[in-house]
Amino acid sequence: MMPAVRMRAPSRYAPTRMATMAPERITWGELRSRAQHLRQRAADAGEAGLSMRVGDLLELLPLPYDPEPLPDDATDEEIAEAEREPLDFAEDVLKRHGVRCRPAPGDVGTDGVVVLRPTNRYALQGAVGLGLVALAAAAATSRIAAAVFVPVILIGAWLAWRQAHWLDRWVPRLVPRGRIMGALLMLVLLAVASVAVVNPARDWVRNRGQVRDAVNLSIQAETQLNAGDLAGARASIDQAMQIRPDLGQVQATAQKIMVAQVNAHTSAVANQSFASQNAYDRAEASYAAGDWQEAIDGFTGLGGFADAPTRLAAVRADAAEATLARAKAALAAGDASRAFELYSDAVVFDPAAADRALVKRIAEALTAS
């Protein structure tokens, strides 16, 4: 006798290896239209809901794609999962369009009966989910946005929960009435709140902070100016001008500092001119007293002031000439060493005063002595 062999019946929902041609699949647009029609029928059924056999539900909402083929050695668990796939898919389609199915089709099987009722809980889930994500992002970036988003999220949740009939009237039919509609509603509310409230509020706070900082810097600059710290006052008012150059107080303080800078520059120039004139007069006095080196040092330190360069050249020439005359007199008096010292000083005063004949005579006198 041949041993008994267990045979597996082909699944109604998963394709078998014996299939020769794939069935024509429903389009996603048709699937959406059927789901919306079922939602309307369930709403018309009232509180009791729309009772329907799971088999009929599967005919209305079949898989729009070819399921993965089962291998020849598929386990019972894989077969059960393949048979449950269209049941779970139909339930997911209903949830996407805001329809609650009880009990779940996968729990009662194809021969069971389910009750369909329109519900707004899925729209509420979508609205709250997106709202919490937006709130978390806002809390990490802007306290103003977080404070504004809290009431907006509450309003969106209330609309999704209590005003589903109003939303169903105004939201385009293309939008599924489940989580997608709730998320879209919350997205629109948050976008409007961001443009109408958050951005203006942030601009107002930013402007207020800039005014406060600019005024404080302006006050600091005036305090530094009164204390004589002109450089510190200039740095403070420059920062204030970078923040709010249009602020009247900042402009007034900048004008004060500019006037103080002009006065300080004028005073510095005047003081420098006065000091240079005093040095010039001292150099002239040294020249008159015959203190040649002091006069030369004084005119040299004046640089290009007045006619200091011309006077310096004249003083050098006079000093060299007078010292050279003293060297000749010392040589005539028989003091060759003194004559050599005086001649050296004359050449230092003005190299043009060099006299080769005199140097020779001094050298001969030094040799003879």
Side-chain angles (χ1 to χ4, degrees):
M1 178 180 294
M2 297 293 293
V5 179
R6 186 179 64 169
M7 303 295 294
R8 288 194 182 129
S11 171
R12 176 181 175 184
Y13 310 106
T16 64
R17 297 176 61 89
M18 299 178 61
T20 57
M21 60 181 302
E24 183 178 355
R25 293 296 174 184
I26 189 173
T27 63
W28 288 98
E30 178 63 23
L31 195 66
R32 181 181 66 249
S33 299
R34 293 185 182 184
Q36 292 174 347
H37 181 66
L38 282 175
R39 174 183 169 85
Q40 186 61 46
R41 288 176 58 187
D44 294 341
E47 187 66 25
L50 176 64
S51 297
M52 178 177 291
R53 289 182 62 254
V54 175
D56 297 336
L57 180 63
L58 294 177
E59 291 182 2
L60 289 173
L61 304 176
L63 290 174
Y65 56 87
D66 294 331
E68 184 178 354
L70 285 173
D72 294 336
D73 57 349
T75 63
D76 292 338
E77 183 179 355
E78 291 175 338
I79 294 174
E81 183 179 354
E83 291 179 346
R84 187 183 175 95
E85 181 180 0
L87 303 174
D88 293 340
F89 176 80
E91 184 180 10
D92 290 340
V93 172
L94 292 174
K95 288 181 179 180
R96 190 179 304 119
H97 288 273
V99 179
R100 185 180 184 185
C101 184
R102 288 293 181 271
D107 295 339
V108 299
T110 57
D111 295 330
V113 177
V114 294
V115 179
L116 308 182
R117 293 185 179 90
T119 180
N120 51 9
R121 69 170 54 191
Y122 301 121
L124 178 64
Q125 292 173 1
V128 173
L130 181 62
L132 292 179
V133 172
L135 182 60
T141 56
S142 172
R143 289 182 295 178
I144 296 176
V148 173
F149 282 179
V150 169
V152 172
I153 293 172
L154 294 177
I155 292 174
W158 176 77
L159 288 174
W161 182 249
R162 294 296 184 182
Q163 302 298 320
H165 61 284
W166 180 82
L167 294 174
D168 191 57
R169 184 185 312 149
W170 291 100
V171 175
R173 300 297 298 173
L174 184 65
V175 179
R177 267 38 181 179
R179 296 185 181 94
I180 294 177
M181 184 180 71
L184 183 61
L185 169 66
M186 187 62 68
L187 181 63
V188 172
L189 292 177
L190 292 174
V192 172
S194 298
V195 174
V197 181
V198 175
N199 290 341
R202 293 180 66 180
D203 291 341
W204 180 80
V205 172
R206 186 184 303 110
N207 179 73
R208 184 179 178 183
Q210 290 177 346
V211 171
R212 181 187 64 249
D213 294 342
V215 169
N216 290 338
L217 286 170
S218 177
I219 295 174
Q220 176 179 315
E222 294 205 15
T223 302
Q224 293 170 324
L225 180 62
N226 295 332
D229 185 7
L230 187 58
R234 181 74 262 177
S236 297
I237 201 61
D238 285 343
Q239 294 181 27
M241 290 291 288
Q242 290 178 0
I243 297 174
R244 286 300 300 268
D246 58 329
L247 205 60
Q249 182 173 345
V250 173
Q251 294 178 355
T253 304
Q255 290 293 332
K256 292 180 182 179
I257 294 176
M258 185 179 299
V259 171
Q261 284 182 314
V262 172
N263 292 337
H265 178 71
T266 303
S267 177
V269 171
N271 291 338
Q272 180 64 32
S273 178
F274 181 75
S276 298
Q277 186 62 50
N278 286 338
Y280 186 94
D281 294 340
R282 288 195 300 269
E284 286 288 359
S286 299
Y287 170 74
D291 190 351
W292 308 113
Q293 190 60 50
E294 186 70 20
I296 290 173
D297 292 341
F299 284 119
T300 301
L302 289 173
F305 176 75
D307 63 342
T310 303
R311 290 295 298 145
L312 176 61
V315 170
R316 284 184 177 278
D318 292 345
E321 182 179 356
T323 305
L324 195 62
R326 291 173 59 192
K328 292 178 179 180
L331 180 62
D335 190 354
S337 297
R338 179 59 179 167
F340 180 75
E341 292 177 359
L342 292 172
Y343 177 80
S344 299
D345 292 340
V347 174
V348 170
F349 288 144
D350 186 3
D355 187 342
R356 298 182 63 182
L358 180 59
V359 171
K360 183 177 180 181
R361 289 167 54 196
I362 292 174
E364 290 174 352
L366 288 174
T367 303
S369 62

